Amino acid sequence: MTNGNANDKQTLVALVENRPGVLNRVASLFRRRNFNIDSLTVGRTENPEISRMTIVVDHDAEKVGNQLSKLVNVIEVQEVTDVPNVSRDLALIKVAVESSQARGEIVQLCDIFRAHIVDAGPDAMIIEITGDEQKISSMVELLRPLGIKELVRTGVVTMTRGDHVLAPDEFQMRSVKRTNGHRASVV
């Protein structure tokens, strides 16, 4: 059992059917079970019928994974916290530029953190940075005194290293009956 500290974060990867409502089912499960989601990202895989979720929680990942596995439309769930993996987060940070000195400091920080300036205006710059959560948090703390105007983070995506692959075994998409949007039809 975990106590919610940052070091207790656990990561799950789930393959789900790429259908409307799947994300709602997953979020509803977390709400019903009172699991806190630290980060949740969803994106398509190489198979357009399958999406991949990376879920970071501060709860017992095995318990969360068991609950997720029971949901319709969930194909596969694995906990990857202790598996060697590559995890990345992306952030866009809009920083105030009030002087040429501030502009120079921002450029220096971008060089140090291997971040990119993706937009530059007379009063603000937008910085794109990818990396682990700690790297992004460190960049944010160093930019904060310069004046962060806006910040957005994508959440963590994770892929295990080496030959370990999360792939569906003999997955076949269930057929969907086309309806007029009503649950019952009148005879």
Side-chain angles (χ1 to χ4, degrees), residues 129-144:
I129 181 170
T130 58
D132 61 31
E133 288 185 273
Q134 187 176 6
K135 175 183 174 183
I136 293 174
S137 295
S138 295
M139 177 81 167
V140 167
E141 290 310 311
L142 290 171
L143 288 172
R144 195 174 301 280

Side-chain angles (χ1 to χ4, degrees), residues 24 33 52-53 63 73-74 93 95 102 110 124 128 133 140:
N24 185 37
R33 300 289 180 189
R52 181 180 173 120
M53 293 182 170
K63 185 176 179 181
N73 307 116
V74 173
I93 309 164
V95 184
C110 288
E128 171 192 292
E133 288 185 273
V140 167

Side-chain angles (χ1 to χ4, degrees), residues 125-163:
M125 299 171 88
I126 298 176
I127 298 161
E128 171 192 292
I129 181 170
T130 58
D132 61 31
E133 288 185 273
Q134 187 176 6
K135 175 183 174 183
I136 293 174
S137 295
S138 295
M139 177 81 167
V140 167
E141 290 310 311
L142 290 171
L143 288 172
R144 195 174 301 280
L146 298 171
I148 294 176
K149 292 181 152 190
E150 192 175 4
L151 181 143
V152 62
R153 293 175 76 153
T154 60
V156 176
V157 292
T158 299
M159 184 172 282
T160 57
R161 301 179 73 185
D163 292 339

Side-chain angles (χ1 to χ4, degrees), residues 17-19 48-50 171-176:
E17 294 177 3
N18 184 14
R19 290 190 174 185
E49 295 180 339
I50 299 175
F171 168 73
Q172 296 210 344
M173 192 80 163
R174 294 185 195 102
S175 64
V176 177

Side-chain angles (χ1 to χ4, degrees), residues 70-87:
K70 294 177 184 175
L71 290 178
V72 174
N73 307 116
V74 173
I75 301 164
E76 181 91 30
V77 179
Q78 288 186 3
E79 181 190 358
V80 296
T81 306
D82 296 325
V83 179
N85 64 64
V86 176
S87 295

